[in-house]
Amino acid sequence: MLDPFSDKAKRLVKEEFGGITELLLIIPSYVGIDQALERVLWVKSGEMPRDLLEMGDIQDLLTFYALLGALAFSPYGIEMELVKEANSRIYAKRLRRAGRISGTATELRTVDAGEIPSRDRTILERTHHHELPPDERDKLRLRYKIHLGKFLELWEGSLKEVYIREGYVYLTTEQALKLWEKSFERNFERAVNLLYEVRDELPSYYLQLYERLGEIAREYFKERLERMGSAEAGLLRFELFPPCVKIALGGVPAGLRNYAITVLLTSFLSYARLCPSPSRRDVRIRDCVGDLSVVEKEILPVIIEAGNRCSPPLFEDQPHEVKNIWYHLGFGLTDKPRLEDSGNSTWYFPPNCSKIRANAPQLCKPDRHCRNIKNPLTYYLRRLYIESRKGKQSTEGGENG
């Protein structure tokens, strides 16, 4: 398999297994946890086993989706970064060995003879520069093309770096591989986002696999984690919140108050601050903290302030709603909670985007980061992940400078 997100892969999943959900349910019967982990264990040494490169299509999809199923328990963490890096390198090497990139999810096509004017080819490919070794001239050959609209969705460089003609962008093999890598990254994150919504339905196999992945990832990224610190539970980053949460924080009219403050804001703030990547949906606050001070000093005041910005102010109009806040945090209907009361009711998870659109459409004002996101918490996790990547690149740049 040259690309697990290609049309060929999608057909194979549907025809052989009946779909992704069915595939995930049968994987534990065919793929051992150690077998799935072989796809990532090699990254520390850098020596990619030959059997990973020569694996058959069915086995390839089974082991690849085993890892994706595990990532449903932490869609944006070091586990995801490890799996994405390892598998991007596996598929990129297969593409190089195959000598072709067409047929992947990037919608790249091979360039036909005579499609590019000979004068342009002479300039771009330096065909008359005989001082260049043959392999260097070969690297300059424009072998692939892609529609400009699709190209702009993936390319992060300058348009001056590529040749554009009649609505198509023409690329060298290396440029095409760079585009494929970006496509793989986006498809990978999209797939993990989708699986995040069904993680409670997955067999325990995937949680066990996720825990093993965590051990490997912490060892692989040990130096970075020590340098940057843990990015799991931490101070809230309000600037990275999704639009719906920002709207709720600003106060809403009477018809939206209870949903925006009690349902959305209470669940989002509490999970984002205390347990941004819970391994299960029935987690309790006492599983995440040793006392209630962080709830009382960092979470509840933000909720109260947002409620007071509503028109009319929520807690002045409905003072009993404070008890409902604690109920949604999992402490039962009370205004004097104790840590041991955690679990008396359900600690409500943030509602999915589809439910927000259905129940409070005025809160749903998507921005560019909302694309392919299914839950406000996933939005926040993704933004945190992107920021951590920027921090990593900045740190490495400083060390190299």
Side-chain angles (χ1 to χ4, degrees):
M1 184 64 62
L2 297 179
D3 187 331
F5 303 113
S6 65
D7 289 339
K8 176 185 177 182
K10 291 176 182 177
R11 285 195 302 271
L12 199 58
V13 168
K14 185 175 182 179
E15 293 171 3
E16 294 292 330
F17 306 102
I20 294 296
T21 303
E22 291 78 7
L23 173 64
L24 290 172
L25 291 177
I26 70 166
I27 282 175
S29 300
Y30 291 90
V31 179
I33 288 177
D34 289 337
Q35 188 179 4
L37 291 174
E38 289 176 3
R39 295 188 73 108
V40 300
L41 282 169
W42 62 271
V43 293
K44 190 169 184 180
S45 68
E47 298 179 8
M48 194 182 300
R50 173 182 282 186
D51 59 349
L52 285 179
L53 295 174
E54 299 175 351
M55 189 176 287
D57 289 349
I58 296 293
Q59 189 65 15
D60 183 67
L61 287 175
L62 288 171
T63 52
F64 177 73
Y65 274 96
L67 296 178
L68 284 191
L71 293 180
F73 294 94
S74 181
Y76 289 102
I78 56 174
E79 297 86 1
M80 186 195 75
E81 193 165 344
L82 172 68
V83 175
K84 183 167 62 175
E85 177 186 329
N87 285 276
S88 175
R89 288 165 63 180
I90 290 170
Y91 289 114
K93 190 159 186 176
R94 288 183 188 173
L95 288 169
R96 291 182 186 279
R97 290 181 65 176
R100 60 184 176 85
I101 309 175
S102 53
T104 64
T106 53
E107 300 179 19
L108 287 161
R109 305 177 191 173
T110 54
V111 177
D112 297 329
E115 194 170 339
I116 301 174
S118 57
R119 180 177 179 276
D120 289 356
R121 272 203 183 273
T122 298
I123 296 171
L124 294 166
E125 299 177 353
R126 302 181 190 178
T127 54
H128 292 172
H129 289 238
H130 299 295
E131 73 279 6
L132 289 175
D135 59 334
E136 290 297 319
R137 285 207 300 273
D138 189 62
K139 291 179 181 178
L140 297 173
R141 290 288 305 274
L142 298 175
R143 300 181 183 276
Y144 301 95
K145 69 177 183 179
I146 184 172
H147 193 275
L148 179 59
K150 183 66 176 179
F151 174 82
L152 292 174
E153 293 178 10
L154 299 169
W155 190 253
E156 294 184 340
S158 169
L159 289 179
K160 294 179 181 179
E161 300 174 38
V162 295
Y163 174 69
I164 303 173
R165 176 180 170 81
E166 296 182 350
Y168 282 89
V169 180
Y170 293 79
L171 306 168
T172 65
T173 298
E174 288 304 312
Q175 288 172 328
L177 277 170
K178 183 178 178 181
L179 204 69
W180 172 84
E181 288 172 358
K182 191 62 182 178
S183 170
F184 178 85
E185 178 179 313
R186 292 193 179 183
N187 284 320
F188 188 96
E189 293 182 9
R190 182 183 297 120
V192 173
N193 269 321
L194 292 173
L195 294 180
Y196 182 69
E197 305 308 321
V198 299
R199 59 183 179 161
D200 288 343
E201 302 169 20
L202 297 178
S204 60
Y205 164 94
Y206 292 100
L207 181 56
Q208 295 172 36
L209 180 53
Y210 164 70
E211 291 170 349
R212 291 281 301 279
L213 272 176
E215 296 171 6
I216 299 168
R218 284 190 291 275
E219 178 62 27
Y220 182 61
F221 295 114
K222 183 178 180 180
E223 291 184 8
R224 190 212 301 183
L225 291 174
E226 291 174 348
R227 186 168 63 245
M228 298 180 62
S230 173
E232 295 181 357
L235 295 176
L236 293 169
R237 297 283 301 276
F238 288 81
E239 74 278 13
L240 304 182
F241 285 0
C244 55
V245 173
K246 289 181 177 178
I247 293 172
L249 285 170
V252 297
L256 281 176
R257 293 181 308 172
N258 294 84
Y259 190 89
I261 305 301
T262 307
V263 177
L264 173 60
L265 204 55
T266 298
S267 59
F268 176 85
L269 291 175
S270 56
Y271 274 95
R273 176 62 181 91
L274 304 175
C275 192
S277 290
S279 59
R280 63 183 195 276
R281 288 287 180 96
D282 61 347
V283 68
R284 301 164 300 182
I285 282 182
R286 66 179 177 182
D287 297 327
C288 307
V289 296
D291 61 69
L292 287 180
S293 61
V294 66
V295 179
E296 295 170 333
K297 294 178 181 179
E298 298 182 38
I299 298 171
L300 193 61
V302 177
I303 296 171
I304 299 296
E305 288 174 13
N308 288 337
R309 293 190 189 101
C310 293
S311 179
L314 175 62
F315 299 106
E316 290 181 16
D317 196 37
Q318 300 178 27
H320 66 277
E321 194 64 18
V322 172
K323 291 184 178 181
N324 212 10
I325 297 295
W326 285 111
Y327 182 87
H328 279 72
L329 289 171
F331 292 87
L333 201 60
T334 179
D335 56 4
K336 292 181 173 58
R338 302 169 301 167
L339 187 62
E340 55 265 35
D341 296 330
S342 176
N344 283 353
S345 56
T346 299
W347 179 13
Y348 283 86
F349 196 74
N352 287 345
C353 299
S354 58
K355 291 185 178 180
I356 296 172
R357 283 193 297 271
N359 295 302
Q362 302 94 320
L363 295 177
C364 189
K365 307 292 182 185
D367 65 12
R368 64 188 181 91
H369 297 288
C370 290
R371 186 178 181 185
N372 299 318
I373 293 296
K374 303 296 182 183
N375 188 282
L377 189 60
T378 313
Y379 177 108
Y380 184 57
L381 289 170
R382 186 173 193 276
R383 295 293 304 277
L384 286 174
Y385 171 74
I386 291 171
E387 289 298 307
S388 72
R389 292 288 296 170
K390 290 179 182 176
K392 175 194 172 188
Q393 293 165 2
S394 175
T395 302
E396 290 178 347
E399 291 176 350
N400 294 332

